[in-house]
């Protein structure tokens, strides 16, 4: 096996999305390398790989580069099937995916509106401007304060849903497993994030007395991760130039895929396309030749700026848009 399984995780440590991947790798005991990134653009290491996608994290395995944590987790489940954390029964798989969709597409939007305006990051104009461009909403403190009550209403509903339904029977983990499963990772992360953020949730309505089962579940999960950290391999930390060199000199991790001839978009192998997320970070679009297309994933070939070697960029289909482009069109951001 290649050093650190050929995996390089590009992230910053306080990203709640990156934490999903770190938790998974830790709970599985999978060896990996990391390349720490700034929380705001520019991210020169990722740019050197030829990637325009701006969200964190991204994960490379060899010269295959995976964007969006949903796709990253699916790929890790496929690549390391022995001891996988995903559900095996159809009804549990459905619940697992529903939790993923609920938290990524719903809960996190409201959770992000509860970052306390007293935090130092709100005093950093570079950071707030970056997030305004990224999320498409104001990060001015008066606007943040004005939006908190509505966000708290929704977050209270989310807490109550967990407390009164899935956790109501006293189960340890959401699928009644013996250890935390992928469904727990999908479900817990925005609640864990807010519970650990001083000033995010008013204790009068979000204290442990209000939602004892939810907080007990968060505490169990935190303990399980800390215990796993004791035996899991420590990530190898690569500097930016090191990581870029490692990725661009590696082999591809995945064999040639197919282009679905029945896909409604009617795209052809080798056609020039661009692909981008439509929920956030939509101004940053990857462009290249279509390499593979399935109902779940699009893969395009582009060139890294370092060494000009081809890389394969993988995007999920969910909440991403793909369109054919002229090869001679001007570059996107």
């Amino acid at each position: 096996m290649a050093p650190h399984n050929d995996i390089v995780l590009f992230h910053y440590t306080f990203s709640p999305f990156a934490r999903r991947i770190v938790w998974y790798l830790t709970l599985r005991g999978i060896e990996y390398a990391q390349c720490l990134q700034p929380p705001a653009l520019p991210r020169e290491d990722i740019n050197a790989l030829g990637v325009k996608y701006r969200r964190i994290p991204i994960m490379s395995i060899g010269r295959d580069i995976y964007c969006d944590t949903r796709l990253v987790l699916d790929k890790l489940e496929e690549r390391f099937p022995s001891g996988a954390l995903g559900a095996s029964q159809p009804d549990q798989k459905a619940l697992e995916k529903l939790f993923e969709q609920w938290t990524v597409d719903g809960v996190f939007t409201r959770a992000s509106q509860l970052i306390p305006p007293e935090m130092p990051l709100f005093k950093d104009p570079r950071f707030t401007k970056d997030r305004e461009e990224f999320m498409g909403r104001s990060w001015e403190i008066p606007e943040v304060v004005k939006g908190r009550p509505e966000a708290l209403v929704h977050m209270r509903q989310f807490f109550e849903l967990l407390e009164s339904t899935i956790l109501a029977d006293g189960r340890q983990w959401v699928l009644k497993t013996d250890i935390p499963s992928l469904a727990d990772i999908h479900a817990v992360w925005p609640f864990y994030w807010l519970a650990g953020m001083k000033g995010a949730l008013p204790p009068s309505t979000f204290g442990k007395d209000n939602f004892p089962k939810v907080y007990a579940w968060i505490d169990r999960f935190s303990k399980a991760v800390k215990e796993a950290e004791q035996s899991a391999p420590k990530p190898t930390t690569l500097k930016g130039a090191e990581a870029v060199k490692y990725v661009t000199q590696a082999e591809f991790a995945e064999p040639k895929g197919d282009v679905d001839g029945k896909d409604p978009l009617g795209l052809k192998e080798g056609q020039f396309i661009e692909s981008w997320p439509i929920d956030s970070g939509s101004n940053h679009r990857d462009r290249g030749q279509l390499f593979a297309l399935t109902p779940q994933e699009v893969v395009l070939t582009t060139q890294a700026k370092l060494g000009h070697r081809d890389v394969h960029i993988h995007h999920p289909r969910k909440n991403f848009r793909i369109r054919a482009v002229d090869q001679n069109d001007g570059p996107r951001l």
Side-chain angles (χ1 to χ4, degrees), residues 5 7 11 31 38-39 43-44 95 100 111 156 169 275 314 323-324:
N5 294 304
I7 297 171
H11 73 114
E31 186 179 359
R43 298 186 181 113
E44 299 298 348
L95 192 57
E100 178 183 55
R156 192 178 185 185
D169 60 5
S275 174
H314 299 244
R323 72 174 184 182

Side-chain angles (χ1 to χ4, degrees), residues 7 21 24-25 28 30 59-61 64-81 84 97 100 182 186 253-255 257 292 294 296-299 312-316:
I7 297 171
I21 309 305
Y24 180 90
L25 293 165
R28 292 288 313 275
I30 296 172
M59 180 188 74
S60 64
I61 305 180
D64 285 272
I65 300 170
Y66 302 95
C67 304
D68 195 284
T69 56
R70 290 167 287 201
L71 182 61
V72 169
L73 288 168
D74 286 346
K75 291 295 181 178
L76 289 170
E77 285 278 288
E78 292 172 9
R79 191 166 179 84
F80 301 95
K97 283 298 179 185
E100 178 183 55
L182 183 57
H186 286 328
E254 292 195 27
T294 73
Q296 306 302 327
E297 177 184 17
V298 59
V299 187
H312 292 160
I313 300 175
H314 299 244
H315 289 174

Side-chain angles (χ1 to χ4, degrees), residues 107-143:
V107 176
F108 180 72
T109 299
R110 294 301 185 178
S112 68
Q113 295 171 337
L114 294 174
I115 300 174
E118 299 80 19
M119 290 189 73
L121 58 86
F122 281 99
K123 297 179 175 64
D124 181 351
R126 180 168 167 263
F127 183 87
T128 56
K129 183 179 178 181
D130 177 84
R131 286 309 189 266
E132 286 178 344
E133 187 273 338
F134 172 46
M135 304 184 79
R137 63 175 172 84
S138 174
W139 273 59
E140 294 291 332
I141 289 179
E143 291 299 313

Side-chain angles (χ1 to χ4, degrees), residues 165-166 281 293:
T165 60
I166 199 73
L293 185 69

Side-chain angles (χ1 to χ4, degrees), residues 16 18 23 34 36 45 50-51 55 59 72 86 90 121 126 135 165 190 196 204 244-245 270 279 283 325:
W23 284 341
Q34 63 180 357
L36 298 177
D45 309 326
V51 177
R55 301 195 301 211
M59 180 188 74
V72 169
L121 58 86
R126 180 168 167 263
M135 304 184 79
T165 60
S204 59
V244 172
K245 183 178 180 181
D279 47 1
N283 293 327
V325 295

Side-chain angles (χ1 to χ4, degrees), residues 16 20 32 59 161 165 180 215 218 220 224:
R20 284 158 46 85
Y32 70 100
M59 180 188 74
L161 178 64
T165 60
Y215 281 102
I218 294 171
R220 278 194 301 276

Side-chain angles (χ1 to χ4, degrees), residues 2-297:
H4 47 75
N5 294 304
D6 261 352
I7 297 171
V8 182
L9 183 66
F10 295 80
H11 73 114
Y12 55 88
T13 56
F14 62 89
S15 162
F17 280 91
R19 195 172 285 157
R20 284 158 46 85
I21 309 305
V22 172
W23 284 341
Y24 180 90
L25 293 165
T26 301
L27 290 169
R28 292 288 313 275
I30 296 172
E31 186 179 359
Y32 70 100
Q34 63 180 357
C35 181
L36 298 177
Q37 298 297 301
L41 296 182
R43 298 186 181 113
E44 299 298 348
D45 309 326
I46 294 174
N47 189 45
L49 293 173
V51 177
K52 303 301 182 187
Y53 175 88
R54 65 144 294 160
R55 301 195 301 211
I56 287 291
I58 67 168
M59 180 188 74
S60 64
I61 305 180
R63 277 190 284 149
D64 285 272
I65 300 170
Y66 302 95
C67 304
D68 195 284
T69 56
R70 290 167 287 201
L71 182 61
V72 169
L73 288 168
D74 286 346
K75 291 295 181 178
L76 289 170
E77 285 278 288
E78 292 172 9
R79 191 166 179 84
F80 301 95
S82 178
L85 297 181
S88 58
Q89 298 302 312
D91 58 338
Q92 292 192 336
K93 284 184 177 181
L95 192 57
E96 179 181 278
K97 283 298 179 185
L98 287 171
F99 273 127
E100 178 183 55
Q101 183 171 332
W102 179 55
T103 55
V104 173
D105 295 338
V107 176
F108 180 72
T109 299
R110 294 301 185 178
S112 68
Q113 295 171 337
L114 294 174
I115 300 174
E118 299 80 19
M119 290 189 73
L121 58 86
F122 281 99
K123 297 179 175 64
D124 181 351
R126 180 168 167 263
F127 183 87
T128 56
K129 183 179 178 181
D130 177 84
R131 286 309 189 266
E132 286 178 344
E133 187 273 338
F134 172 46
M135 304 184 79
R137 63 175 172 84
S138 174
W139 273 59
E140 294 291 332
I141 289 179
E143 291 299 313
V144 171
V145 171
K146 187 167 68 174
R148 276 184 61 83
E150 183 178 289
L152 286 168
V153 168
H154 286 83
M155 192 54 58
R156 192 178 185 185
Q157 292 173 350
F158 301 148
F159 268 80
E160 286 177 347
L161 178 64
L162 290 173
E163 186 78 17
S164 63
T165 60
I166 199 73
L167 298 175
D169 60 5
R171 67 186 66 191
Q172 296 290 292
W173 308 111
V174 295
L175 297 184
K176 296 185 176 180
T177 48
D178 295 330
I179 60 173
S181 72
L182 183 57
D184 290 284
I185 293 174
H186 286 328
V188 78
W189 65 279
F191 300 94
Y192 180 106
W193 183 55
L194 284 181
M197 191 185 303
K198 185 178 180 181
L201 299 172
S204 59
T205 47
F206 287 90
K208 292 189 175 184
D209 291 342
N210 302 99
F211 302 107
K213 292 182 172 63
V214 174
Y215 281 102
W217 170 57
I218 294 171
D219 289 344
R220 278 194 301 276
F221 187 85
S222 179
K223 182 180 178 182
V225 171
K226 288 177 181 176
E227 288 176 352
E229 286 173 347
Q230 302 306 308
S231 57
K234 304 301 180 189
T236 301
T237 299
L238 303 176
K239 294 186 181 297
E242 262 185 302
V244 172
K245 183 178 180 181
Y246 185 88
V247 172
T248 55
Q249 291 185 351
E251 298 301 320
F252 288 111
E254 292 195 27
K256 175 71 179 74
D258 295 323
V259 173
D260 182 2
K262 297 181 179 179
D263 191 89
L265 297 182
L267 298 170
K268 305 297 182 184
E269 181 181 345
Q271 189 170 2
F272 276 83
I273 63 166
E274 64 179 8
S275 174
W276 70 97
I278 57 175
D279 47 1
S280 64
S282 302
N283 293 327
H284 302 261
R285 305 180 181 188
D286 285 304
R287 177 174 292 200
Q289 289 182 281
L290 181 61
F291 183 75
L293 185 69
T294 73
Q296 306 302 327
E297 177 184 17

